């Protein structure tokens, strides 16, 4: 099996080309992860086996353990790769929307649309990170940063709107005040707590919509899923306070204060 090596794989953290040994290690690492992804598609994450990966690559198990000491180490690498790939897709869509001078709601929709497109193109990797937990596996803290990329991007869209055209602060049940203030303090101290509650709900609903489509829950229920997703995402944009804009680019309505 010939490993697929990318420019990123062939360079170190400093951007300089890798030496011969480091390059060879990077190529084998890519080959191992590619074969593991193939097994994910065929068998699912619960049945991922280092011995099976080694066998398919023509390696002895002891040699593969030098790259990934355990199944959990390999799973973690695949999970981080999946989160980073999803994050890059979402960030790329946002950057294109910014270059096109799109408004906050359009940027929100671009990010959410990129999440859906990535998930449909990578259903097995999506299942690895948003499907059923893998029995016996506990994700380490190294997965937290990559997992947060899309959520932080959506927070950024709302933050930019708050600093620019303004946002409507949604109503909130006062029984959530303590939880809302904790969320705001942890994730976005510059945004109203009520907005953070709405953002957290919207973030979970975006991935719920995507999961329903990827895992077949919309079969024989929703036919035009792209249009359905677009409508739902637009409604979620309103729920977090992003205002519709008139043709001339000015916000419709008067934004409320932040607090």
């Amino acid at each position: 099996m010939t490993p697929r090596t990318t420019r990123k794989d062939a360079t170190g953290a400093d951007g300089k080309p890798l030496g011969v040994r480091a390059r060879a290690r990077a190529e084998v690492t890519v080959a191992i992860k590619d074969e593991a992804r193939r097994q994910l598609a065929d068998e699912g994450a619960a049945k991922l086996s280092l011995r099976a990966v080694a066998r398919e690559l023509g390696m002895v198990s002891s040699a593969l353990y030098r790259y990934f000491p355990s199944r959990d180490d390999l799973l973690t690498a695949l999970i981080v790769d999946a989160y980073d790939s999803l994050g890059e897709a979402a960030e790329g869509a946002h950057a294109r929307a910014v270059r096109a001078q799109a408004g906050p709601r359009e940027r929100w929709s671009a990010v959410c649309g990129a999440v859906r497109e990535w998930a449909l193109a990578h259903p097995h990797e999506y299942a690895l990170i948003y499907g059923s937990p893998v029995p016996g596996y506990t994700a380490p803290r190294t997965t937290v940063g990559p997992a947060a990329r899309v959520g932080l991007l959506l927070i950024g869209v709302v933050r930019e709107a708050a600093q620019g055209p303004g946002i409507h602060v949604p109503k909130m049940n006062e029984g959530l005040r303590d939880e809302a203030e904790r969320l705001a303090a942890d994730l976005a101290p510059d945004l109203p707590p009520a907005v953070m509650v709405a953002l957290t709900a919207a973030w979970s609903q975006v991935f719920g919509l995507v999961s329903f489509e990827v895992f077949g829950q919309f079969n024989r229920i929703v036919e035009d899923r792209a249009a359905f997703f677009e409508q739902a995402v637009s409604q979620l944009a309103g729920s977090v306070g992003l205002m519709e804009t008139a043709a001339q680019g000015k916000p419709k309505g008067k934004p409320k204060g932040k607090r």
Side-chain angles (χ1 to χ4, degrees):
M1 177 179 180
T2 302
R4 300 198 304 269
T5 307
T6 66
R7 183 180 298 275
K8 181 179 179 181
D9 297 317
T11 58
D14 58 1
K16 295 181 180 179
L18 296 174
V20 175
R21 286 187 179 180
R23 183 182 177 88
R25 183 176 180 84
E27 290 175 347
V28 175
T29 299
V30 169
I32 292 170
K33 291 195 287 187
D34 282 349
E35 175 57 29
R37 291 188 187 98
R38 189 192 68 76
Q39 288 193 21
L40 287 179
D42 291 346
E43 303 288 343
K47 294 185 178 180
L48 180 64
S49 163
L50 290 184
R51 290 183 179 274
V53 171
R55 182 174 61 251
E56 291 299 322
L57 294 177
M59 299 173 65
V60 295
S61 300
S62 58
L64 189 146
Y65 289 133
R66 292 199 292 269
Y67 294 85
F68 297 99
S70 70
R71 180 208 68 158
D72 284 6
D73 291 308
L74 178 54
L75 269 176
T76 296
L78 297 176
I79 287 168
V80 169
D81 282 356
Y83 277 131
D84 279 337
S85 178
L86 172 59
E88 288 168 7
E91 289 160 5
H94 179 259
R96 290 190 292 275
V98 170
R99 288 196 295 271
Q101 298 183 328
R105 287 180 72 108
E106 289 74 21
R107 296 181 190 186
W108 171 276
S109 294
V111 170
C112 295
V115 169
R116 174 179 178 267
E117 290 174 7
W118 184 91
L120 292 175
H122 305 85
H124 303 295
E125 289 166 79
Y126 181 85
L128 177 63
I129 54 179
Y130 287 108
S132 299
V134 180
Y137 173 78
T138 301
R141 289 199 61 81
T142 52
T143 63
V144 173
R149 289 175 69 167
V150 172
L152 292 176
L153 190 58
L154 293 174
I155 290 173
V157 171
V158 177
R159 177 181 289 118
E160 291 166 2
Q163 295 171 348
I167 57 175
H168 283 297
V169 178
K171 293 182 180 179
M172 180 185 70
N173 185 327
E174 282 303 309
L176 277 175
R177 175 62 56 183
D178 289 346
E179 179 69 9
E181 290 179 351
R182 183 194 62 78
L183 282 169
D186 288 347
L187 298 171
D190 54 327
L191 289 176
V195 171
M196 280 310 307
V197 168
L199 265 167
T200 304
W203 164 75
S204 65
Q205 289 174 75
V206 167
F207 281 96
L209 288 163
V210 172
S211 294
F212 260 52
E213 184 169 2
V214 171
F215 300 138
Q217 301 301 318
F218 281 147
N219 291 349
R220 295 185 296 277
I221 299 174
V222 177
E223 296 297 334
D224 192 345
R225 293 165 193 165
F228 183 86
F229 183 81
E230 183 179 352
Q231 170 68 21
V233 162
S234 178
Q235 291 175 338
L236 290 174
S239 76
V240 301
L242 297 178
M243 297 180 295
E244 292 186 20
T245 54
Q248 67 269 32
K250 295 181 180 179
K252 291 182 179 179
K254 183 178 180 182
K256 298 179 182 179
K258 284 192 175 184
R259 298 285 177 182

